[in-house]
Amino acid sequence: MSIDSLDPDDVDAADILGSAIERREDPSLLTGDAEYTDDIQLPEMLHMTILRSQHGHAEIEDVDTSAAEEMDGVVAVYTHDDVADESVSRDGSLLIPTGWLLDSLRQVDHPVLAKDRVRYQGDAIAVVVAEDRYVAHDATDAIDVSYDRLDASADPEAALDGEAGQLHDDAEGNVAFDWEIGDEERTEEAFDDAAHTVSLDLENQLLIANAMEPRAAVADYHPGSDELDVFMTSQNPHLHRLLMSGVIGHPEHKLRVKAPDVGGGFGCKIHHYADEALVALVTRDLERPVKWTSTRTEGYKTDAPGRGHVTTAELAMDDDANITGLRVDTKANLGAYLSTFAPAVPTYLYGTLLSGQYDIPAIHASVTGAYTNVPPVDAYRGAGRPEASFLVERLASLGAREAGVDPAEFRQKNFVSDDDFPYQTQVAVEYDSGEYGKPMEKALEAVDYDAFRERQEEAREEGRYLGIGFSCYIEACGLAPSELAGQLGAQAGLWESSLVRFHPGGTVTAFCGTSGHGQGHGTTYAQIVANELGIPYEDVEVVEGDTDEIPQGMGTYGSRSAAVGGSALVKSSQKLVEKAREIAAHQLEADPADVEFAGGEFTVSGTDRSLGIAEIAQQSYLAHDMPDDMEPGLEATSFYDPDNFVFPFGTHVAIVEVDPESGEIEFEKYVAVDDVGNQINPKIVEGQIHGGVAQGIGQALYEGAVYDGNAQLLTGSMQDYAVPKSLHIPDMETESTVTPCPHNPLGVKGVGEAGTIAAPQAVVNAVTDALQPFGVDTVEMPMTAERVWSAVNGQATAD
Ligand code: MCN
C-alpha cells in the first residue's frame, strides 16, 4: 500500500494533524532553489583545503610547506604548530560521557592538525588557504610530508589483541573503554539450566554514511565586533556552537552557527570534526571569509562511519522454546579518536536494547571499545539499535531452528505481553508502550505465511530456493530525558526548546532547536502548530538550524525531533493559547475559566460571543485594551524534557529467492509494518521507512568499508563502495499499527531510523532460511554473491 500525498488546501483545518499532506520543502529542493553551504559566496572569500595523511598510522618526520607557500594565489599554510593547543576531543568533549558505565573511558587528545603522528588515513596534517579552490588543491599536493610508517589496523579485534600498533599512550592495549551491563551470575545460571543454546559470531560491518551533500563550512569573522559566523552542514548547530566555542576559544554569544539547507546527514553531521573548527580558526586569523568543501573521496576517508561491531552472542532456551538468557561479548570499533557520540550512542544504546521485543529474564553483555586506524566512528543512522536488533533477531531465528519451532511462532511466544507495559528490561531501559503481536499478525497476513511455506516446499522440489526472514525490531529514540543523560555522565541535557510567535498580521513563525536535514520538519512542525492554534497550515512558517534565530537547541539525531521538538512546539503553543485566552476573556468581559478554545476561536461558554486567535494576536500588539499588568505581544518559549525515551517497534519480513549456483539474491517481497505511535504525517512516515529500509538492504547486500592490513581504505569511492541504486531496492509494502506514546503530548514515537534498524536481519534471515537445505545458518554482511556461493559450497570467502 502506498499513501497518496494530499494538497493541504484539500484538508480540513481540524484534520491537519495526521494528514498525509505533501512536503512543503520539496519545490525548492527539486528546482535547485535550495541554498547549501557550498552555494554561499561572500565577498573576498578564500578557499581552504586540507592535506590528509596517506597512511593509516605513521610518525610524521617532516612537513615541508615551502613549495606550497610560494605558489601564486596561496594566502597561508598552517601546520600543527600554528594551531598547537586546539584539540577536538579534549576541548570539544562536552558530550563524551565520563560516569556510570564509562568509568573506564580513556579519553585521548585529537589535535585539529596532527602533531607528530597520524592515526588514520585522512587525519588532517596541514591546511592551505588560497584565492581559489583549484590553487588551494594544487598547493596541497605540493606539500611534502615524510612519514615513518607504523603498524596499523582497522579491525577492533586485531587492535585489542595487540596485532596493530599502540595508537595512544593514554590508552593501553588500544582499549577506549570496557563496560558491562546486566546480571552476569543470573545469566550464567540460565545457560547452566538451558535445554537449548545457540551461539553466533557476528560482524556488523563498518558503513560509510554517504549523505548526498558532502560536508562543508563557510566561516566569516567580523573583527570590529569579534563576531564569528559559521555556516556549515550541521545536524545540530547549537551543539556545534557549544563544542566549537570550547575548541577554538571563542565565546558562544559571539559565535553563530547556521545550517543552511543540508543534503542529508544520516548521523555523519552530528560529530564535531576538526575540519569545521579549522575553517573558523583560519577566518579569525586572516580576517577574510573562508570556505571549505569536502570532496567525495575526502568524505569517504573522513566522514564518521558507523557500526563496526564484532560480537559473539549466545541464547539460552528452556525445553518449551522460551528464551531464558542472553550473553553477549562485543568489540566496538571507535576509530582513531573518540567522536562526539561514539562512546555513547553506538555502544550504550546498543547494550540497553538487547532485550529486543522479548521478555528475557537474564541478560549480560560486555562491550569493549577499541581505538583503531579508521576515522572516529559515530552514530550512523540507527546507531546502537541496528546492532542490537541484528543480534537479537539473528539469534531468534537460529534459536527457533534449534528448538524446533517455527520462527514466527518462536517470536510470538517470547514477546513481552501487552499487559506487561511499561516493561522493565534487564538492561536498564523501561519500554513505554507496545503491542508486539499486532505488527507480526499484519505482516504474516501480508505475506500469506502458511501459503508461503507450502510454496517454499514446492519450489525446493523444483530446485528453487525461497526464504522468508523476520525482523521484530525495537528502537529507543526521542533521545532524552536529561536526568538519564546526566546519570550516564553526558555533559549536556537532552531537552528541546521552541518559540512560537504570532505576528500582528495573524501569521505565525515556529522556531525549534532541532535541525532537519531531509526529514520534512517544515511540513510536520507546521501541522503541529496549526493544529494547536487552530489556524491555517499555510500561516505557519518553521525556522530551524540557526543559533542566532533560535534561543537554544539540541539538534536532530536519534529520531528525536517529532517526539521532543514536536512536543516543545506543543508546549509553546499551549502557553501562547493561555495568554491569548486571558486577553480574549478580558475583551469579552468574561472569566478566563469560562472561555473555551476550539478551532482557533475563543468563545464564552454557552454564548455566541467569540474572538479569533489571529484577532487576539493583533490586539496583543496594539495593546490598547489588555488585562492589568499583562505585557504586549503574543509569543511563548518553552523547554520540553521528556520523561522517557520513546520505543517504536515493528515487524519487517523479507521474502527472497537465492540462486545457489551463482549466489545471487532476488527479492520477491518486502513487508514493513511499523508502529511509531500517532503519525503526524503518514506520507512522511512512509518516506522515512522507505529510505531507512533502502539503507538496511544496502547494509545487508552491498555496503561495507574495506580496509587493507595497513588500514588503507580500499573502498574509497562510489565505484568501490556499493551504494544500492533504486533498481536494487524492491517495492515495499508498508503498513502500520498505532500504539501511542503515553508520555508525550503528541503520542508520537520516532521513525527516522526504524527502517535501517529493521531491514538487515530481515534480509539475512530470509537468505539463511532459503539456504537451509544446504545447512547454511549464517552469511556475513554484505551478502555478496561470492559470500553466498561460498557459504553454499562450504568454502572460505576470498576476504
Ligand atoms: N514523524 C511523523 N510521525 C511520527 C514520527 C515522525 O510524522 N510518529 C515525522 C517527523 O515529524 C519528521 C520525520 O517524520 O518530519 C522524522 O521524524 P523523527 O523520527 O522524529 O526523526 P528526526 O526528524 O529527528 O530525524 C532524525 C532521523 C535520523 S536520526 C537519521 S540518521 C536520519 C533520519 O532521521 N537521517 C536522515 N531520516 C533522514 N532522512 C533524510 N532525508 N535525510 C537524513 O539525513
Side-chain angles (χ1 to χ4, degrees), residues 294-311:
S294 166
T295 63
R296 182 62 66 179
T297 314
E298 197 176 4
Y300 265 44
K301 288 185 188 142
T302 61
D303 287 355
R307 320 274 193 272
H309 279 201
V310 181
T311 296

Side-chain angles (χ1 to χ4, degrees), residues 192 228 251 270 283 307-308 322 335 368 455 703 727 735:
D192 290 345
L228 176 55
I270 310 176
T283 188
R307 320 274 193 272
N322 296 307
T368 307
R455 275 200 301 126
E703 297 185 44
L727 62 95
E735 302 216 24

Side-chain angles (χ1 to χ4, degrees), residues 774 776 778-779 785-799:
F774 301 93
V776 173
T778 180
V779 183
E786 192 226 344
R787 281 185 170 171
V788 173
W789 184 91
S790 302
V792 169
N793 290 282
Q795 309 269 335
T797 47
D799 46 283

Side-chain angles (χ1 to χ4, degrees), residues 18-19 23 25 211-212 235 262-270 379-383 385 475 477-478 514-525 527-528 544 555-566 648 675-688 691-692 695 746-754 756:
S19 284
R23 289 174 19 128
E25 36 282 276
M212 219 184 282
Q235 293 184 221
V262 176
F266 306 113
C268 81
K269 292 170 182 167
I270 310 176
Y380 172 64
R381 198 171 193 172
R385 296 87 97 204
E475 132 89 314
C477 55
T514 51
S515 194
H517 44 281
Q519 294 87 351
H521 294 172
T523 304
T524 48
Y525 284 178
Q527 288 177 270
I528 293 170
E544 286 184 294
T556 287
Y557 47 84
S559 301
R560 66 188 298 276
S561 303
V564 192
D675 193 320
V676 299
N678 294 330
Q679 300 187 9
I680 301 161
N681 184 323
K683 186 69 195 172
I684 286 183
V685 166
E686 183 187 56
Q688 288 290 314
Q695 286 180 310
L746 291 162
V748 295
K749 303 183 175 195
V751 68
E753 295 155 290
T756 324

